[in-house]
Amino acid sequence: MQGVGFAWAIAPGLDRLYPDPRARGERLLAHLEPFNSNPYLATIGIGFALRLEQEVARGSAGADYRLSRLIKALRSSLGALGDDLFWVAWRPTLGVIGAAVALATGSPIAALMYWIAYNALAQSVRWRGVRAGFASGAGIARVLQDPFWSRASGITKTAGAAASGAVLGGALWAASSGGLGGISVFFFITAFLWLAGLRRGSRGRWLSPSVAFLVVVILLSVVVRVSAGGLP
Amino acid sequence: MSIEQAALLTVLGAVVFLDQWPAFQSMLSRPLVVGAVVGVVLDKPADGALWGALFEAVYLGLLPIGAARYPDAGLATLAGSAVALSAPASVAPPVGWAVAVALATGALGDHVGGFLRRWNGRTAVYVREQVTAGDLSAPGRAIAIGLLRGAALGAGVSAVALTVGLGGLALVVSTPWSGPLPRSVIVLAAAAALTVNGTRLFVDGRSRLSAWGVGLVLVVAAFGLMG
C-alpha cells in the first residue's frame, strides 16, 4: 500500500497548497499511483514531490507532467539505494554482530542494542528525508549520486564480512573446549549448511537455510541419542 | 504458559506481523528482538536471547528485495521460541520440534502476508474510486483498516501456531522425536549457521575476504591472549 501511504503522507501538504477541495482531490489522485520503493528513503520522494507540487499549484506549464515523470524515475532509484544500504548491508551486519553477542553472553541486552543501532540510522534517514527531498528540488540527482550511499553500504558490508570471520573464530575457540569431538561437530554442521546452500544450476539452492538447519538438528539429535551424551 | 502470557504473545504476534512490512519496519520483527521479548514474557530472558540469536542466524540471508517471497521470520521466531521456552526444565531443549514449528509458522505467515497484500491491493483500487468521487479522507481510512486487518491476521497466525506448537510439545517433549539437544550443541549449531549465512552474504570479493580473515585471526588471537 505504499501508493496509498504516499498519498496519505503528502495530503497535509496538499491541504495547504490547494484550498479548493476539487483541485486537492485531483492532485491527491495523482499521488495514488503505486510507489514501490524503500520504506526509509521513500520520505525523500515525499519531500521532492511536495517541492514540485508547489510549482504545480503556481500553475507552471507542464509541472504536473514533470512531477509524474520524475516521481516514477525516483522511486526505483530510491528503492535500489535503500535496499542496498538497509536490507543488504545494515540489517544483516547488525544481525551477525547482535546474534554473536547474544550467543556469547546470553543477554537480551544484545537485542536491545541491535534495535537501537538499526533505528539510529534508519529512522534518522526517514526523518531527514522529507527535508532533504524538499530542499533538493530539481537537484535531487545530486542527493542520489552522493557518495555517502555507496560508501556507507561498502563499509557496512566489509564490517559484516569481518564480523562473520570473527564469529567463526569465536565458534572454533568455543568448540575446541569440547576437544576433537566439539571441533568435529562444528565442522560437520558448517560443512553441511554450506553444501546445502550451494546453487543447483538455475533452480536455486539444494535446501533453504532454514530447512537445512532443521535437517542438521535432526541429524545431531540422532547422533546424540545414539552416542548417549557422548557429544560436548 | 499462563493465559496472560499466551494473550501477550498473541498481541506480540500482531505487532510483529505489522512490523515485518505493512507498517513500522522498525525491526521489532527481527528474530533477535522477538526471541528476547518472548523470553521476557515467559520470564526466561537469557533463554529467549539464545533462541532469538539462533533464529536470527537461520533467517539472516532472507532479503526483502523486489518481488522476493520469504517466510515470516518474526512469527516463526515467536512460535519457535515460545515452544522451546515452554518445555519443562528437566528435559533437554526440544530444538527439533521448536525449529519445525518455526518453519511451518514462517511458511504460514508468508501465505497470510501474500493474502494481505492482495487484499490491500483491492483496497487501493477502492480508495482511488472514493477519491475520484470526492472523498478525500479515504486514504487515511484505508490505512487504518489495513493496519487493523494486518494486526488481526498476525494475531490469528500466532494463536494457531502457539496452539499447535504447545499442543504438540506436550506429546513429543519426553520422546526422542522432539530433537533434544544439549545447550552447548545448540549454540554451536547457531554459530555455524551465522558463519555460513554471514560469509555467503558478505564475502563477495578479495577485499571482503581479507576483512573476513582479519576478523577470524583477531578473535582467535584475542581468545589465545586471554588464555
Side-chain angles (χ1 to χ4, degrees), chain A residues 35-56:
Chain A
F35 190 79
N36 201 3
S37 186
N38 179 273
Y40 307 111
L41 266 65
T43 52
I44 294 178
I46 291 170
F48 173 73
L50 274 173
R51 177 67 176 262
L52 288 200
E53 230 6 285
Q54 282 187 325
E55 290 181 25
V56 177

Side-chain angles (χ1 to χ4, degrees), chain B residues 118-143:
Chain B
R118 290 192 294 277
W119 198 354
N120 285 348
R122 288 196 295 275
T123 303
V125 173
Y126 175 73
V127 167
R128 279 192 73 85
E129 291 168 1
Q130 292 298 104
V131 171
T132 306
D135 180 3
L136 302 190
S137 61
R141 258 196 338 271
I143 287 173

